Amino acid sequence: SGDILIAPSILAADFARLGEEVAAIDAAGADWIHCDVMDGHFVPNISFGADVIKAIRPLTNKVFDVHLMIAPTDAYLEAFARGGADLITVHAEAGPHLDRSLQAIRSLGRKAGVSLCPSTPEATIEYVLDRIDLVLVMTVNPGFGGQSFIGSQIEKIKRIRTMIGERPIRLEVDGGVTRDNAAAVAAAGADTLVAGSAVFRGRGAADYAANIEAIRAAAEA
Ligand code: DX5
Ligand code: ZN
């Protein structure tokens, strides 16, 4: 379908030149900018926080798709909203009060997303479908870029596509997505594809554009 969005993950960017890299993927045709926030507690890695998002916010008008791999979440939501997040995604596994966190995101005037780790069943989101604008299916164990796609998640993507029905909820897939598996991911029902290492290959915007378009073309085939 022509409605595929590509969201490059800046976790794979050169952190020594992060501003230039954000401008480069904007110019290269990124639809969204996927910002992977990691706290070294919910996931075994530390990336960056709201101040970094605030710093790069003026460099692009593209949607900031903020993926919070942190626990607990609620105390930080306002900082990410103020920092420029357009969409804030929390993990269903980050705590016992997912419904409250999703309501808190929307009360801050931002779109709300829920993310599921590979072992978390889709039934987990059954009672929050009316609280969300996006479901993020992890196809790697969160914490690092450059990992291999976990094929078992294709079935979950299909089932979540059915659960969504006519609701205005985007289905985003994140982890190990490349031009080689993008067709299967889209065919299963994803409409938004995150890619880090598959985009940030090569030497700058020209290569990034080619990488983005290769993934998009495969997904829309
Ligand atoms: C993993 C992150 C993903 C990751 C994607 O915890 O949520 O967004 O950065 O990177 P690739 O596309 O290289 O798997
Ligand atoms: Zn992510």
Side-chain angles (χ1 to χ4, degrees), residues 58-112:
L59 304 178
T60 176
N61 293 322
K62 300 290 173 72
V63 165
F64 273 9
D65 168 33
V66 176
H67 178 192
L68 296 183
M69 289 162 277
I70 70 173
T73 58
D74 291 9
Y76 301 94
L77 298 178
E78 185 169 359
F80 284 102
R82 285 178 182 277
D86 296 288
L87 193 157
I88 300 174
T89 295
V90 295
H91 267 266
E93 308 88 353
H97 303 299
L98 175 60
D99 185 286
R100 180 183 286 131
S101 297
L102 296 169
Q103 288 193 61
I105 294 167
R106 281 188 162 169
S107 68
L108 287 164
R110 301 300 185 272
K111 290 191 181 297

Side-chain angles (χ1 to χ4, degrees), residues 46-57:
I46 297 174
S47 60
F48 50 80
D51 288 342
V52 170
I53 290 174
K54 186 177 179 184
I56 61 176
R57 178 69 275 180

Side-chain angles (χ1 to χ4, degrees), residues 34 36 67 69 174:
H34 187 78
D36 282 315
H67 178 192
M69 289 162 277
D174 184 8

Side-chain angles (χ1 to χ4, degrees), residues 113 173 201:
V173 172
R201 285 193 187 121

